[in-house]
Amino acid sequence: MPDVNATAGPLGGLDPIAGAAQHPGVALVAGSAGVIGAHAAAEYARVPGWTVRGAARRAQPDVPWQPLPADLSTADGAREGLAGARDTTHLVFAAYVERGDERQQIEDNTALLRHTLDALADAPLRHVTLYQGGKAYGAHLPGFRTPARESDPRLLVPNFYYAQEDLLRAEAARRGFGVTLLRPEGVVGYATGNPMNILTVVAVHAAISRELGLPLRFPGSRAAAEALYQVTDAELLARATVWAGSAPAADGEVFNVTNGDQFRWAHAYAAIARHLGMEHDEPQDFPLTSVMPMHAETWSRMVERHGLVPTPYEHLVGWAFGDFLFHSGFDNVSSTVKVRRAGFGECLDSVDRFCELLDRLAERGVVPAAR
């Protein structure tokens, strides 16, 4: 049960970092340059008494944690890069590599975890948090059963989530540390140079449409526009991560972690258009991957005129990720009852949060201000 004496958290509900503050440790976030990892590292850095390090291949400038350059794809790279993290008590594993071939996807992502655990063989590990996602339930396949529950059986279709989980649980049993697996869906947040992010897809698509004097249209199928969808705010997921690392009720468990609501893209795009002061029109199905790169020069002019952060266009947005989500014409809903019962009850209105985060991107100079 949640601690009734805990203080309120910034996203509502009881403060999930209270337990972490009572038992400080040393957190290592693998993949801290990504959206999930960066937010997890930042959240741990907020907790009094914690030492926080972040391991990544890409540069991590101006971060509130100790950056560790590390290539976890090889055993030597992990051992050398994590040599300064052998006092780690809490590992947050958010490292990921994208591969087109499923077999290679499984091998390479499992190797990332294996190399990291091996490099921390002498560390006093107390807990490891591993992220999965809706693909564990078949969210990428037709016939996805909703609402998805943590007790649902695995699929026959191979998935690197399963291989990583099996490896982690075996190591936990052998070495005696705790484990929690978190399953977000459609993580919404921002990390510089990380294009696999639906927030930047929406933000840049809207900004270019406004620049060209066009109304905002949902750029996907009508089925996807009307299906129920869910997202996970990166800040909410980070707070769930800190909670899981210290909550006895989280040990050994798998939890769905979403904002706790669902929405339809058709309604979300209409609300986003109103928020940005744009006209809105009916959905218009077209492939983002082939159309939006043709607007690279338009974006370059916008960057110069508005003084935006000069992130390379191809590193700013993952249009293929947008095409995948915007053409999933079936409901995507996960139950969050289990994590609430265990003690993490934070929730957000997803459409309101999209609007807040779009404003934040404009404040940071990632996209032009709407007004």
Side-chain angles (χ1 to χ4, degrees):
M1 296 293 291
D3 181 1
V4 295
N5 295 315
T7 57
L11 298 183
L14 302 180
D15 190 346
I17 70 172
Q22 293 172 5
H23 304 283
V26 179
L28 170 65
V29 179
S32 55
V35 174
I36 292 176
H39 283 82
E43 190 64 32
Y44 260 114
R46 291 182 58 243
V47 187
W50 279 77
T51 298
V52 185
R53 302 186 180 99
R57 283 185 296 182
R58 289 192 287 119
Q60 305 174 73
D62 302 321
V63 293
W65 60 86
Q66 178 185 341
L68 296 178
D71 182 359
L72 306 179
S73 65
T74 67
D76 288 343
R79 185 167 51 251
E80 294 170 6
L82 302 183
R86 290 174 180 160
D87 56 347
T88 298
T89 62
H90 289 64
L91 170 64
V92 177
F93 193 80
Y96 170 78
V97 290
E98 178 65 30
R99 297 288 184 260
D101 178 75
E102 191 63 45
R103 185 182 299 276
Q104 200 64 49
Q105 182 97 329
I106 294 170
E107 291 179 0
D108 290 356
N109 280 283
T110 305
L112 289 177
L113 178 58
R114 182 185 303 108
H115 297 155
T116 302
L117 292 172
D118 288 348
L120 300 175
D122 297 325
L125 278 179
R126 303 202 306 251
H127 188 271
V128 177
T129 301
L130 177 67
Y131 300 104
Q132 297 184 334
K135 286 185 177 181
Y137 302 118
H140 56 311
L141 305 170
F144 170 39
R145 184 170 73 179
T146 58
R149 301 183 185 278
E150 295 88 344
S151 57
D152 289 350
R154 288 184 174 183
L155 306 176
L156 181 62
V157 180
N159 192 311
F160 78 89
Y161 293 151
Y162 306 153
Q164 285 187 328
E165 180 177 355
D166 291 345
L167 169 64
L168 181 59
R169 289 193 184 277
E171 284 295 295
R174 185 175 68 86
R175 295 165 58 175
F177 56 77
V179 169
T180 303
L181 290 86
L182 301 182
R183 290 177 177 170
E185 175 60 38
V187 176
V188 178
Y190 178 73
T192 304
N194 192 292
M196 193 172 172
N197 184 349
I198 197 61
L199 177 64
T200 52
V201 171
V202 174
V204 176
H205 171 238
I208 290 176
S209 296
R210 185 173 61 242
E211 177 73 11
L212 298 177
L214 302 174
L216 186 63
R217 301 181 176 96
F218 173 69
S221 68
R222 287 189 174 270
E226 297 298 333
L228 288 174
Y229 191 59
Q230 59 186 352
V231 294
T232 304
D233 185 87
E235 290 182 21
L236 185 148
L237 180 60
R239 291 175 64 76
T241 299
V242 174
W243 166 80
S246 300
D251 187 19
E253 300 294 340
V254 180
F255 295 112
N256 297 328
V257 179
T258 71
N259 288 357
D261 66 350
Q262 295 85 44
F263 61 91
R264 304 183 197 280
W265 282 114
H267 301 162
Y269 256 70
I272 289 169
R274 288 193 299 271
H275 180 75
L276 297 178
M278 298 177 63
E279 295 294 322
H280 176 257
D281 210 333
E282 293 295 309
Q284 188 173 65
D285 192 353
F286 64 87
L288 292 166
T289 48
S290 59
V291 172
M292 297 309 294
M294 291 190 287
H295 291 291
E297 291 186 7
T298 299
W299 182 256
S300 295
R301 293 194 298 269
M302 293 167 64
V303 169
E304 183 175 353
R305 187 169 69 256
H306 296 283
L308 303 180
V309 177
T311 306
Y313 190 60
E314 64 273 15
H315 296 161
L316 180 65
V317 189
W319 297 117
F321 186 56
D323 274 338
F324 170 73
L325 290 186
F326 291 164
H327 289 86
S328 296
F330 45 86
D331 291 348
N332 187 320
V333 179
S334 299
S335 170
T336 56
V337 169
K338 182 179 176 182
V339 75
R340 294 176 187 176
R341 285 179 172 172
F344 183 82
E346 294 195 7
C347 60
L348 290 168
D349 183 296
S350 295
V351 176
D352 286 351
R353 189 62 172 163
F354 261 111
C355 294
E356 292 172 7
L357 292 174
L358 289 171
D359 288 346
R360 190 179 298 180
L361 289 183
E363 291 169 1
R364 296 176 62 173
V366 179
V367 297
R371 299 176 177 85

